[in-house]
């Protein structure tokens, strides 16, 4: 007795082409909804990431401003005709009224529009001094030095004496006609320009290189030329 194998095998159902097309069409119809759903699910995470990035940026900017403000110098130009002990002494000075050190850059002084290169030229131009005449005064560097908060750098000191009475009186009057501008920087290389004794310092990227520079001219004075 022999057994014949069952020749009938199970066959997978064949999906008609029309049904597949309908399924694809349905998927395409719901695709925008699925995309929007995925976007909405990820939106809170995106917003949180943007908020954290913005907070980090604001915090970094605030920290930088605090660091800059914590060492910001504020230099002003001034003049006086008396020393601290009340003696007659005319001075031209730069004072740092800020909270950080100031590095003095170039300075330019003009009198009636004329550029003044050094103290000797100033006293000749404004006050009737003659080159070669003995005139006792003191000077300090006006460029390339740092002045601490609250410190004053006297550019010129002319104490009153019987020998320089005429020059002293003329300088006491004419010093108000001087046009003075100076540039200074902080330790972070933030720079400002001041002009005269009025107004706020003007921020600049770098100190100008085209000014007609004023200097104390100490080398020539020590050499005996003035």
């Amino acid at each position: 007795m022999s057994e014949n194998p069952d020749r009938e095998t199970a066959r997978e159902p064949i999906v008609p082409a029309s049904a597949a097309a309908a399924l694809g069409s349905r998927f395409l119809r719901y695709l925008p909804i699925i995309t929007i759903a995925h976007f909405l699910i990820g939106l809170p995470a995106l917003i949180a990431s943007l908020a954290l990035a913005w907070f980090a940026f604001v915090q970094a900017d605030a920290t930088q401003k605090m660091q800059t403000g914590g060492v910001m110098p504020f230099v002003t130009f001034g003049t006086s005709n008396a020393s601290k002990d009340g003696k007659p002494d005319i001075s031209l000075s730069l004072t740092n009224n800020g909270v950080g050190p100031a590095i003095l850059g170039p300075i330019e002084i003009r009198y009636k529009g004329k550029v003044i290169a050094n103290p000797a030229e100033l006293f000749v131009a404004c006050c009737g001094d003659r080159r070669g005449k003995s005139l006792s005064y003191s000077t300090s560097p006006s460029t390339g030095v740092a002045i601490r908060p609250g410190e004053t750098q006297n550019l010129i000191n002319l104490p009153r004496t019987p020998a320089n009475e005429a020059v002293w009186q003329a300088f006491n009057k004419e010093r108000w006609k001087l046009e003075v501008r100076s540039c200074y920087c902080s330790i972070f290389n933030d720079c400002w320009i001041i002009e005269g004794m009025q107004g706020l310092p003007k921020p600049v990227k770098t100190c100008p290189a085209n000014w007609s520079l004023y200097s104390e001219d100490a080398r020539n004075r020590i050499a005996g030329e003035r």
Side-chain angles (χ1 to χ4, degrees), residues 11 21-22 31-32 41 47 49 54 69-70 72 74 97 105 111 126 137 164 180 202 213 221 223:
R11 297 180 180 179
L31 181 61
I41 293 172
I47 294 175
S49 298
W54 174 252
M72 181 178 176
F74 192 95
N97 296 307
Y111 174 71
C126 77
Y137 58 89
N164 70 3
V180 180
K202 176 184 177 182
L213 300 183
R221 293 185 63 202

Side-chain angles (χ1 to χ4, degrees), residues 73 75 94-96 100-104 145-153:
V75 176
L94 294 173
T95 300
N96 182 7
I103 303 172
L104 298 182
V145 297
I147 52 178
R148 299 186 300 271
E151 184 179 15
T152 295
Q153 186 81 349

Side-chain angles (χ1 to χ4, degrees), residues 22-32 34:
L23 181 62
S25 177
R26 181 178 301 176
F27 175 77
L28 292 177
R29 186 168 59 253
Y30 287 108
L31 181 61
I34 296 173

Side-chain angles (χ1 to χ4, degrees), residues 183-186 189-193 202-207:
C183 183
Y184 65 94
C185 301
S186 72
N189 290 324
D190 296 315
C191 301
W192 297 265
I193 289 177
K202 176 184 177 182
V204 293
K205 292 184 178 180
T206 58
C207 286

Side-chain angles (χ1 to χ4, degrees), residues 11-187:
R11 297 180 180 179
E12 296 181 359
I14 299 176
V15 180
S18 58
L23 181 62
S25 177
R26 181 178 301 176
F27 175 77
L28 292 177
R29 186 168 59 253
Y30 287 108
L31 181 61
I33 298 176
I34 296 173
T35 303
I36 293 174
H38 278 285
F39 175 77
L40 293 177
I41 293 172
L43 184 60
L46 176 62
I47 294 175
S49 298
L50 292 176
L52 288 174
W54 174 252
F55 176 76
F57 171 78
V58 171
Q59 187 178 32
D61 183 63
T63 301
Q64 181 180 8
K65 289 181 178 179
M66 289 177 62
Q67 291 177 344
T68 302
V71 295
M72 181 178 176
F74 192 95
V75 176
T76 57
F77 169 74
T79 179
S80 173
N81 62 0
S83 62
K84 292 182 179 180
D85 54 4
K87 295 181 180 179
D89 186 352
I90 299 177
S91 64
L92 304 179
S93 61
L94 294 173
T95 300
N96 182 7
N97 296 307
V99 294
I103 303 172
L104 298 182
I107 184 172
E108 184 181 78
I109 297 180
R110 293 176 180 266
Y111 174 71
K112 294 183 177 180
K114 178 184 177 182
V115 174
I116 302 299
N118 52 61
E121 285 191 9
L122 174 60
F123 293 127
V124 170
C126 77
C127 309
D129 186 35
R130 299 188 303 274
R131 291 190 180 276
K133 179 182 176 181
S134 177
L135 185 65
S136 297
Y137 58 89
S138 62
T139 63
S140 297
S142 56
T143 302
V145 297
I147 52 178
R148 299 186 300 271
E151 184 179 15
T152 295
Q153 186 81 349
N154 287 331
L155 309 181
I156 297 177
N157 282 96
L158 180 65
R160 184 179 182 180
T161 65
N164 70 3
E165 179 67 21
V167 174
W168 195 94
Q169 292 291 351
F171 191 35
N172 191 36
K173 178 181 178 181
E174 298 300 313
R175 60 194 170 101
W176 301 107
K177 301 177 183 178
L178 296 176
E179 300 173 16
V180 180
R181 59 178 180 173
S182 176
C183 183
Y184 65 94
C185 301
S186 72
I187 59 174

